[in-house]
PDB file of all heavy atoms in Angstrom:
ATOM      1  N   GLY A 808      70.176  71.340 120.294  1.00 98.00           N
ATOM      2  CA  GLY A 808      71.305  71.162 121.194  1.00 98.00           C
ATOM      3  C   GLY A 808      71.725  72.498 121.763  1.00 98.00           C
ATOM      4  O   GLY A 808      71.312  73.547 121.265  1.00 98.00           O
ATOM      5  N   GLU A 809      72.550  72.431 122.795  1.00 98.00           N
ATOM      6  CA  GLU A 809      73.036  73.671 123.393  1.00 98.00           C
ATOM      7  C   GLU A 809      74.096  74.303 122.503  1.00 98.00           C
ATOM      8  O   GLU A 809      74.765  73.613 121.742  1.00 98.00           O
ATOM      9  CB  GLU A 809      73.670  73.374 124.752  1.00 98.00           C
ATOM     10  CG  GLU A 809      72.651  73.142 125.827  1.00 98.00           C
ATOM     11  CD  GLU A 809      73.322  72.874 127.164  1.00 98.00           C
ATOM     12  OE1 GLU A 809      74.417  72.273 127.188  1.00 98.00           O
ATOM     13  OE2 GLU A 809      72.745  73.250 128.186  1.00 98.00           O
ATOM     14  N   CYS A 810      74.266  75.607 122.683  1.00 98.00           N
ATOM     15  CA  CYS A 810      75.366  76.282 122.013  1.00 98.00           C
ATOM     16  C   CYS A 810      76.475  76.465 123.032  1.00 98.00           C
ATOM     17  O   CYS A 810      76.373  75.998 124.164  1.00 98.00           O
ATOM     18  CB  CYS A 810      74.903  77.623 121.458  1.00 98.00           C
ATOM     19  SG  CYS A 810      74.406  78.763 122.742  1.00 98.00           S
ATOM     20  N   GLU A 811      77.521  77.202 122.638  1.00 97.00           N
ATOM     21  CA  GLU A 811      78.664  77.405 123.540  1.00 97.00           C
ATOM     22  C   GLU A 811      78.254  78.147 124.812  1.00 97.00           C
ATOM     23  O   GLU A 811      78.939  78.064 125.825  1.00 97.00           O
ATOM     24  CB  GLU A 811      79.818  78.110 122.806  1.00 97.00           C
ATOM     25  CG  GLU A 811      79.460  79.243 121.846  1.00 97.00           C
ATOM     26  CD  GLU A 811      78.886  78.778 120.495  1.00 97.00           C
ATOM     27  OE1 GLU A 811      78.434  77.612 120.369  1.00 97.00           O
ATOM     28  OE2 GLU A 811      78.874  79.607 119.568  1.00 97.00           O
ATOM     29  N   CYS A 812      77.125  78.845 124.788  1.00 98.00           N
ATOM     30  CA  CYS A 812      76.676  79.566 126.003  1.00 98.00           C
ATOM     31  C   CYS A 812      76.073  78.608 127.041  1.00 98.00           C
ATOM     32  O   CYS A 812      75.914  78.988 128.208  1.00 98.00           O
ATOM     33  CB  CYS A 812      75.640  80.625 125.664  1.00 98.00           C
ATOM     34  SG  CYS A 812      76.172  81.781 124.402  1.00 98.00           S
ATOM     35  N   GLN A 813      75.712  77.417 126.645  1.00 97.00           N
ATOM     36  CA  GLN A 813      75.135  76.402 127.553  1.00 97.00           C
ATOM     37  C   GLN A 813      73.992  76.957 128.394  1.00 97.00           C
ATOM     38  O   GLN A 813      73.943  76.773 129.608  1.00 97.00           O
ATOM     39  CB  GLN A 813      76.230  75.839 128.475  1.00 97.00           C
ATOM     40  CG  GLN A 813      77.295  75.056 127.730  1.00 97.00           C
ATOM     41  CD  GLN A 813      78.457  74.681 128.620  1.00 97.00           C
ATOM     42  OE1 GLN A 813      79.156  75.559 129.115  1.00 97.00           O
ATOM     43  NE2 GLN A 813      78.666  73.390 128.833  1.00 97.00           N
ATOM     44  N   ASN A 814      73.096  77.660 127.739  1.00 97.00           N
ATOM     45  CA  ASN A 814      71.978  78.259 128.481  1.00 97.00           C
ATOM     46  C   ASN A 814      70.640  77.945 127.827  1.00 97.00           C
ATOM     47  O   ASN A 814      69.818  78.824 127.623  1.00 97.00           O
ATOM     48  CB  ASN A 814      72.173  79.777 128.589  1.00 97.00           C
ATOM     49  CG  ASN A 814      72.293  80.388 127.201  1.00 97.00           C
ATOM     50  OD1 ASN A 814      72.263  79.675 126.204  1.00 97.00           O
ATOM     51  ND2 ASN A 814      72.427  81.693 127.121  1.00 97.00           N
ATOM     52  N   GLY A 815      70.447  76.700 127.494  1.00 98.00           N
ATOM     53  CA  GLY A 815      69.200  76.278 126.843  1.00 98.00           C
ATOM     54  C   GLY A 815      69.520  75.600 125.531  1.00 98.00           C
ATOM     55  O   GLY A 815      70.572  75.843 124.930  1.00 98.00           O
ATOM     56  N   THR A 816      68.615  74.745 125.101  1.00 98.00           N
ATOM     57  CA  THR A 816      68.811  73.945 123.895  1.00 98.00           C
ATOM     58  C   THR A 816      68.160  74.638 122.704  1.00 98.00           C
ATOM     59  O   THR A 816      66.950  74.801 122.678  1.00 98.00           O
ATOM     60  CB  THR A 816      68.181  72.559 124.134  1.00 98.00           C
ATOM     61  OG1 THR A 816      68.951  71.897 125.140  1.00 98.00           O
ATOM     62  CG2 THR A 816      68.151  71.716 122.892  1.00 98.00           C
ATOM     63  N   HIS A 817      68.976  75.062 121.738  1.00 98.00           N
ATOM     64  CA  HIS A 817      68.402  75.649 120.513  1.00 98.00           C
ATOM     65  C   HIS A 817      67.695  74.527 119.747  1.00 98.00           C
ATOM     66  O   HIS A 817      68.268  73.458 119.541  1.00 98.00           O
ATOM     67  CB  HIS A 817      69.509  76.212 119.617  1.00 98.00           C
ATOM     68  CG  HIS A 817      70.099  77.494 120.116  1.00 98.00           C
ATOM     69  ND1 HIS A 817      69.460  78.701 119.982  1.00 98.00           N
ATOM     70  CD2 HIS A 817      71.270  77.760 120.748  1.00 98.00           C
ATOM     71  CE1 HIS A 817      70.222  79.665 120.512  1.00 98.00           C
ATOM     72  NE2 HIS A 817      71.319  79.111 120.992  1.00 98.00           N
ATOM     73  N   PRO A 871      66.620  86.514 122.509  1.00 93.00           N
ATOM     74  CA  PRO A 871      67.772  86.160 121.668  1.00 93.00           C
ATOM     75  C   PRO A 871      68.938  85.662 122.515  1.00 93.00           C
ATOM     76  O   PRO A 871      69.107  86.071 123.654  1.00 93.00           O
ATOM     77  CB  PRO A 871      68.134  87.489 120.996  1.00 93.00           C
ATOM     78  CG  PRO A 871      67.024  88.428 121.251  1.00 93.00           C
ATOM     79  CD  PRO A 871      66.250  87.927 122.427  1.00 93.00           C
ATOM     80  N   CYS A 872      69.715  84.752 121.923  1.00 98.00           N
ATOM     81  CA  CYS A 872      70.858  84.175 122.633  1.00 98.00           C
ATOM     82  C   CYS A 872      72.114  84.936 122.206  1.00 98.00           C
ATOM     83  O   CYS A 872      72.218  85.388 121.068  1.00 98.00           O
ATOM     84  CB  CYS A 872      70.960  82.705 122.265  1.00 98.00           C
ATOM     85  SG  CYS A 872      72.305  81.849 123.094  1.00 98.00           S
ATOM     86  N   LYS A 873      73.071  85.017 123.110  1.00 98.00           N
ATOM     87  CA  LYS A 873      74.321  85.765 122.843  1.00 98.00           C
ATOM     88  C   LYS A 873      75.129  85.156 121.702  1.00 98.00           C
ATOM     89  O   LYS A 873      75.965  85.819 121.101  1.00 98.00           O
ATOM     90  CB  LYS A 873      75.184  85.787 124.102  1.00 98.00           C
ATOM     91  CG  LYS A 873      74.672  86.720 125.172  1.00 98.00           C
ATOM     92  CD  LYS A 873      75.825  87.081 126.133  1.00 98.00           C
ATOM     93  CE  LYS A 873      75.326  87.840 127.341  1.00 98.00           C
ATOM     94  NZ  LYS A 873      74.524  86.986 128.254  1.00 98.00           N
ATOM     95  N   CYS A 874      74.902  83.889 121.420  1.00 98.00           N
ATOM     96  CA  CYS A 874      75.707  83.210 120.405  1.00 98.00           C
ATOM     97  C   CYS A 874      75.416  83.708 118.992  1.00 98.00           C
ATOM     98  O   CYS A 874      76.185  83.425 118.079  1.00 98.00           O
ATOM     99  CB  CYS A 874      75.473  81.708 120.468  1.00 98.00           C
ATOM    100  SG  CYS A 874      73.840  81.216 119.884  1.00 98.00           S
ATOM    101  N   GLY A 875      74.278  84.379 118.812  1.00 97.00           N
ATOM    102  CA  GLY A 875      73.926  84.865 117.477  1.00 97.00           C
ATOM    103  C   GLY A 875      72.906  83.994 116.769  1.00 97.00           C
ATOM    104  O   GLY A 875      72.316  84.407 115.776  1.00 97.00           O
ATOM    105  N   ARG A 876      72.696  82.785 117.272  1.00 98.00           N
ATOM    106  CA  ARG A 876      71.660  81.947 116.664  1.00 98.00           C
ATOM    107  C   ARG A 876      70.296  82.519 117.043  1.00 98.00           C
ATOM    108  O   ARG A 876      70.104  82.965 118.180  1.00 98.00           O
ATOM    109  CB  ARG A 876      71.756  80.504 117.168  1.00 98.00           C
ATOM    110  CG  ARG A 876      72.996  79.755 116.690  1.00 98.00           C
ATOM    111  CD  ARG A 876      73.090  78.383 117.362  1.00 98.00           C
ATOM    112  NE  ARG A 876      74.324  77.672 117.018  1.00 98.00           N
ATOM    113  CZ  ARG A 876      75.505  77.896 117.588  1.00 98.00           C
ATOM    114  NH1 ARG A 876      75.632  78.823 118.536  1.00 98.00           N
ATOM    115  NH2 ARG A 876      76.577  77.207 117.224  1.00 98.00           N
ATOM    116  N   THR A 877      69.371  82.483 116.094  1.00 97.00           N
ATOM    117  CA  THR A 877      68.035  83.018 116.381  1.00 97.00           C
ATOM    118  C   THR A 877      67.064  81.900 116.746  1.00 97.00           C
ATOM    119  O   THR A 877      65.948  82.167 117.177  1.00 97.00           O
ATOM    120  CB  THR A 877      67.481  83.759 115.155  1.00 97.00           C
ATOM    121  OG1 THR A 877      67.662  82.905 114.030  1.00 97.00           O
ATOM    122  CG2 THR A 877      68.209  85.072 114.943  1.00 97.00           C
ATOM    123  N   ALA A 878      67.497  80.661 116.561  1.00 97.00           N
ATOM    124  CA  ALA A 878      66.617  79.515 116.839  1.00 97.00           C
ATOM    125  C   ALA A 878      66.184  79.545 118.310  1.00 97.00           C
ATOM    126  O   ALA A 878      66.987  79.784 119.199  1.00 97.00           O
ATOM    127  CB  ALA A 878      67.353  78.221 116.527  1.00 97.00           C
ATOM    128  N   ARG A 880      65.114  78.684 122.083  1.00 98.00           N
ATOM    129  CA  ARG A 880      65.758  77.765 123.027  1.00 98.00           C
ATOM    130  C   ARG A 880      64.708  77.069 123.892  1.00 98.00           C
ATOM    131  O   ARG A 880      63.659  77.640 124.180  1.00 98.00           O
ATOM    132  CB  ARG A 880      66.721  78.528 123.936  1.00 98.00           C
ATOM    133  CG  ARG A 880      68.037  78.850 123.268  1.00 98.00           C
ATOM    134  CD  ARG A 880      68.875  79.756 124.114  1.00 98.00           C
ATOM    135  NE  ARG A 880      68.266  81.070 124.270  1.00 98.00           N
ATOM    136  CZ  ARG A 880      68.441  81.862 125.328  1.00 98.00           C
ATOM    137  NH1 ARG A 880      69.204  81.477 126.324  1.00 98.00           N
ATOM    138  NH2 ARG A 880      67.862  83.044 125.380  1.00 98.00           N
TER     139      ARG A 880
HETATM  140 ZN1   ZN B1450      72.953  80.205 121.706  1.00 88.55          ZN
END
Side-chain angles (χ1 to χ4, degrees):
E809 283 181 327
C810 64
E811 41 284 18
C812 306
Q813 294 172 296
N814 57 358
T816 293
H817 286 283
C872 181
K873 286 201 189 70
C874 71
R876 291 174 185 81
T877 49
R880 281 172 294 151

